[in-house]
Amino acid sequence: MFNSRIVSTGSAVPDFIIDNSMLAELVDTSDEWITTRTGIRNRRISRYKNTSDLASEAAEKCLKNAGIKVEEIEMIIVATVTPDTFTPSTACIVQQKIGAFKASAMDINAACSGFIYALDIADSMISAGRFKNALVIGAECLSKITDWKDRSTCVLFGDGAGAVFIEKSSESGIIKVSTGAEGDKSGYLISKALPPRDPFQNKGSFSNEDSYIKMNGQEVFRFATRIMVGSIKKLFDEYKISHKDIKLIIPHQANLRIIEFASKKLAIPMEKFYVNLQDYGNTSSASIPIALNEAVEKGMIEKGDLIIAVGFGGGLTYGSILIEW
Ligand code: UT7
């Protein structure tokens, strides 16, 4: 068995910023409602670039920071629920765009927990000696599946991508990854794909609107708070650590109230949680790697620091990770 560690990060977001007051022109909402109920003030929306474009930009920044050559990359995993196409996978399009032609490439879908799931796969493959390194990306253009007439969801989401490069290491790095799912709650957060079609009948039609996100916000909120609290507590208990040993907790950026709930319940100061949802909204699988990259760029994480990331979302899925930087 080998260790794997994150050696660099990168992210990319679209230039176009939609603030809460602009959304109030589209639906019956207000800056006051969105800010107090979610903490979100702005989100980035991609008008022209697709998911693979944002993923490739994040990847290129990450690789520049790693100082490695693209031909050295052995595996690319993209976590996304908003791929450019059913096939090829977004990872294959990224492979072509960045020129990483020696890399194996695949997408995975675990919604907002997707980045943690993808890291789990990459870490396991490296630990088993199957690959020496991997480029792991969370990338979304959620605006493609956002119902801009539904005030209960359109105020929440944004577009973006984040990437990490991980490699085999003799030093400590990824200490523990856990993932899970509660498929019995799948109906609480849905974006439909194409339905079955009888080739002998022309009945039925499917439109873009059918793919728009539908969410039972209160049920997902309940799940999210349970997962946030439970995942962090489990890691603390298993490794006999407390928040004092942790430099930073990077939660999925869905709602400030979810993070505040966990902070209060676990008696962890809010300063320990990295929060940037006010700038980007909920970018699903991209939210954790975008936040991680920002924290790294701000110099908030140094070698040897322990950090935790926790994801939760559609599926319903969840995942957590403990890392020594
Ligand atoms: O990444 C996936 C994970 N997703 C999440 O973690 C989302 C978890 N859920 C949430 O963050 C919250 O449930 C929401 C932010 C989605 C909603 O907040 P809430 O406090 O649960 O609001 P609510 O759904 O109970 O709605 C309260 C009221 C309703 O009006 P009435 O029925 O009380 O008259 C809604 O119609 O707020 C209304 N409302 C709005 N009003 C103004 C819902 N959306 C809006 C809006 N602007 N955008």
Side-chain angles (χ1 to χ4, degrees), residues 29 33 37 112 151 155 217-218 220 252 254-255 257-258 282:
T29 191
W33 192 96
R37 298 279 180 137
C112 307
R151 69 176 184 173
V155 301
Q218 291 185 357
V220 179
H252 170 47
N255 187 326
R257 286 193 290 137
I258 295 171
N282 177 348

Side-chain angles (χ1 to χ4, degrees), residues 116-159:
I116 305 275
Y117 269 69
L119 260 187
D120 192 13
I121 297 166
D123 172 55
S124 304
M125 297 284 244
I126 292 170
S127 297
R130 178 75 178 78
F131 293 105
K132 285 200 287 294
N133 64 45
L135 181 62
V136 179
I137 304 167
E140 304 288 1
C141 280
L142 291 175
S143 54
K144 295 192 292 187
I145 54 166
T146 296
D147 183 350
W148 295 105
K149 292 183 184 137
D150 176 7
R151 69 176 184 173
S152 70
T153 53
C154 76
V155 301
L156 304 173
F157 301 112
D159 302 336

Side-chain angles (χ1 to χ4, degrees), residues 283-297:
T283 57
S284 189
S285 67
S287 92
I288 290 174
I290 290 174
L292 179 64
N293 178 61
E294 264 190 17
V296 169
E297 281 183 348

Side-chain angles (χ1 to χ4, degrees), residues 263-281:
S263 158
K264 207 168 162 197
K265 191 87 183 165
L266 294 163
I268 302 175
M270 269 305 280
E271 302 79 71
K272 281 274 158 110
F273 292 88
Y274 191 82
V275 180
N276 67 358
L277 57 81
Q278 67 281 1
D279 298 325
Y280 305 114

Side-chain angles (χ1 to χ4, degrees), residues 4 42 51 55 110 117 157 188 198 212 222 242 264 283 288 292:
S4 74
N42 296 298
T51 303
Y117 269 69
F157 301 112
Y188 293 153
D198 179 344
Y212 290 167
R222 255 190 281 281
S242 79
K264 207 168 162 197
T283 57
I288 290 174
L292 179 64

Side-chain angles (χ1 to χ4, degrees), residues 43-56:
R43 66 285 295 143
R44 303 297 186 104
I45 297 300
S46 185
R47 287 179 289 186
Y48 310 112
K49 291 176 182 172
N50 213 329
T51 303
S52 69
D53 299 311
L54 296 175
S56 302

Side-chain angles (χ1 to χ4, degrees), residues 148-204:
W148 295 105
K149 292 183 184 137
D150 176 7
R151 69 176 184 173
S152 70
T153 53
C154 76
V155 301
L156 304 173
F157 301 112
D159 302 336
V164 300
F165 185 69
I166 80 168
E167 65 183 18
K168 186 171 135 185
S169 169
S170 53
E171 297 171 47
S172 186
I174 293 177
I175 297 171
K176 169 92 177 180
V177 198
S178 299
T179 56
E182 296 182 12
D184 57 317
K185 300 180 182 62
S186 56
Y188 293 153
L189 182 39
I190 285 188
S191 158
K192 282 188 187 164
L194 295 174
R197 245 170 91 220
D198 179 344
F200 297 100
Q201 294 198 27
N202 276 330
K203 277 194 195 146

